Amino acid sequence: MKIGKTLMAASALGIALAGIAAPAASADTVSAQGKHTASIACSKPSGKKSNYSWGDGFTNVTVYFNNHCSHKVSAGIVVKDMDGALSVQCMTTNGGTSGKKKFHIGADHTVARIQKGCKL
């Protein structure tokens, strides 16, 4: 009860208590520093690309895509663990589509890059 009164008083005075007043950032929060992009060239039409962007996620990463190709494109989401070992999760998008897909990567992994094809 005493803590509740202290928090109410601190709140009323505009005093922030460290660790209590600020909400934790969610895994889907993307800062300007944590935004990454990649592109894969289309075979048809010439000069077009399939574009990707993602942020630094903690256990999940959402990959946004915009496929300007007239065909399906398979992209490999290359994930790196804390020891530097790489693995790939595949994402295939239809031509002329855009959207997003959420990937579970685990707490000790990061997305290193997005590449053409699903093999390392």
Side-chain angles (χ1 to χ4, degrees):
M1 190 68 162
K2 202 174 205 183
I3 293 174
K5 287 181 182 179
T6 303
L7 288 176
M8 266 183 21
S11 176
L13 295 173
I15 300 170
L17 299 176
I20 297 174
S26 72
D28 291 336
T29 302
V30 178
S31 68
Q33 295 170 329
K35 184 179 178 193
H36 309 279
T37 60
S39 295
I40 297 173
C42 301
S43 56
K44 292 181 186 175
S46 174
K48 298 289 184 176
K49 296 178 182 178
S50 184
N51 300 309
Y52 305 89
S53 65
W54 69 98
D56 295 327
F58 179 61
T59 57
N60 297 302
V61 171
T62 301
V63 176
Y64 297 86
F65 65 90
N66 191 354
N67 185 348
H68 296 281
C69 305
S70 60
H71 54 83
K72 289 183 180 182
V73 174
S74 292
I77 314 304
V78 180
V79 179
K80 181 169 69 170
D81 70 10
M82 293 176 73
D83 297 327
L86 301 175
S87 61
V88 177
Q89 295 187 34
C90 194
M91 178 171 76
T92 302
T93 59
N94 291 322
T97 61
S98 63
K100 64 184 178 179
K101 179 157 172 61
K102 191 174 193 177
F103 291 90
H104 177 72
I105 60 170
D108 61 342
H109 292 74
T110 58
V111 174
R113 67 181 182 270
I114 294 181
Q115 67 180 21
K116 182 177 181 177
C118 297
K119 295 183 181 180
L120 283 176

